[in-house]
Amino acid sequence: MSDMPASEAAAPQVSPNNPCPFLRALVAGNYVGGHIVPLPELTGTIGRATGKTGLAGADAKAKIFMVAQMANGIGPFSQLRSLTHGAILDELRNGPLDKHGAGSRILDQHAVVHEDEIARLATFGKDYPNPDGGTERGLSASDIKTFMAANFQRAKDEHPPSYAILHGYYPLLMLGEWPVLLDIMGKGDGNDRYLSVAEVRTLFVERRFPDRIVTLLNA
């Protein structure tokens, strides 16, 4: 068996029907397969990326498992299939977690990255002292909350008034995205913790994690 780290193996193609930037980077880095991934494997891989251990790690993995279980459908058949076979990463688009344009719109339905939306993301942040030196643009938890609210408002403005009622659960889905990225990839601690816009761009465009996350994934 090769001792080559997963991220150094030949990167596979990532399906446009996998709309999650974090999962896309996991597939591109060969940390998980691009089709069916057993829930324990997917949960364990993402759990390593959090860097959490003990009770905090167990709690994080439990939440990851629950989200992964419903990613391809919330019906009884879909739930049973997820439990017995795994999450189907290349069939996530149009699933229960897809917000159909109410999100950041950085990645479109064809998996094309829109740089103007990354630039828009940056406008919601501020400059933070970078632990590695200098300053960089980033978003705090408060900034991310404002960003997500603006995304939903943008979608509401483009649809009839009934949209807000029919899709009022979208803001709840958003809690499993950007706040989670902040938790996993954020720099700094407490109220000073921020999500680097530059690292977000790398995640979307290059489907690559920061070195500190790679170290955790390869542990």
Side-chain angles (χ1 to χ4, degrees):
M1 181 179 294
S2 173
D3 293 328
M4 180 183 295
S7 59
E8 293 182 11
Q13 293 294 315
V14 183
S15 171
N17 290 319
N18 175 354
C20 173
F22 196 90
L23 293 178
R24 291 176 64 80
L26 286 180
V27 174
N30 272 325
Y31 297 106
V32 297
H35 184 41
I36 299 176
V37 182
L39 296 189
E41 177 186 346
L42 185 60
T43 298
T45 302
I46 300 175
R48 289 201 306 276
T50 69
K52 296 179 180 179
T53 58
L55 290 177
D59 180 64
K61 289 179 181 178
K63 293 176 180 177
I64 294 167
F65 190 95
M66 287 189 292
V67 172
Q69 183 181 339
M70 65 175 288
N72 290 112
I74 57 177
F77 175 76
S78 296
Q79 292 287 287
L80 180 61
R81 181 181 61 182
S82 294
L83 286 171
T84 56
H85 293 85
I88 309 175
L89 301 190
D90 54 359
E91 294 183 9
L92 294 176
R93 191 171 295 282
N94 295 320
L97 304 181
D98 194 331
K99 296 179 298 304
H100 304 281
S104 69
R105 300 186 184 177
I106 293 175
L107 190 75
D108 69 17
Q109 61 182 343
H110 303 295
V112 174
V113 176
H114 292 265
E115 293 279 1
D116 58 326
E117 294 293 349
I118 297 178
R120 174 178 174 270
L121 167 72
T123 66
F124 287 86
K126 59 182 72 73
D127 292 336
Y128 286 88
N130 187 343
D132 299 323
T135 61
E136 65 176 339
R137 198 70 167 177
L139 282 79
S140 66
S142 177
D143 297 330
I144 287 174
K145 183 177 180 180
T146 301
F147 173 63
M148 294 189 300
N151 291 341
F152 188 51
Q153 185 62 51
R154 175 172 63 176
K156 288 195 297 182
D157 291 343
E158 296 171 349
H159 293 84
S162 59
Y163 180 90
I165 298 174
L166 295 174
H167 303 283
Y169 62 93
Y170 279 177
L172 294 177
L173 297 182
M174 295 177 185
L175 296 177
E177 298 179 337
W178 292 98
V180 174
L181 275 183
L182 173 64
D183 185 40
I184 296 177
M185 290 178 47
K187 298 180 179 181
D189 299 306
N191 293 332
D192 294 326
R193 191 169 181 82
Y194 70 94
L195 181 64
S196 164
V197 173
E199 291 185 348
V200 167
R201 184 183 184 280
T202 299
L203 183 69
F204 275 90
V205 176
E206 301 179 26
R207 299 191 296 272
R208 182 168 56 83
F209 295 110
D211 289 344
R212 63 186 182 280
I213 304 300
V214 171
T215 298
L216 292 171
L217 286 167
N218 287 330

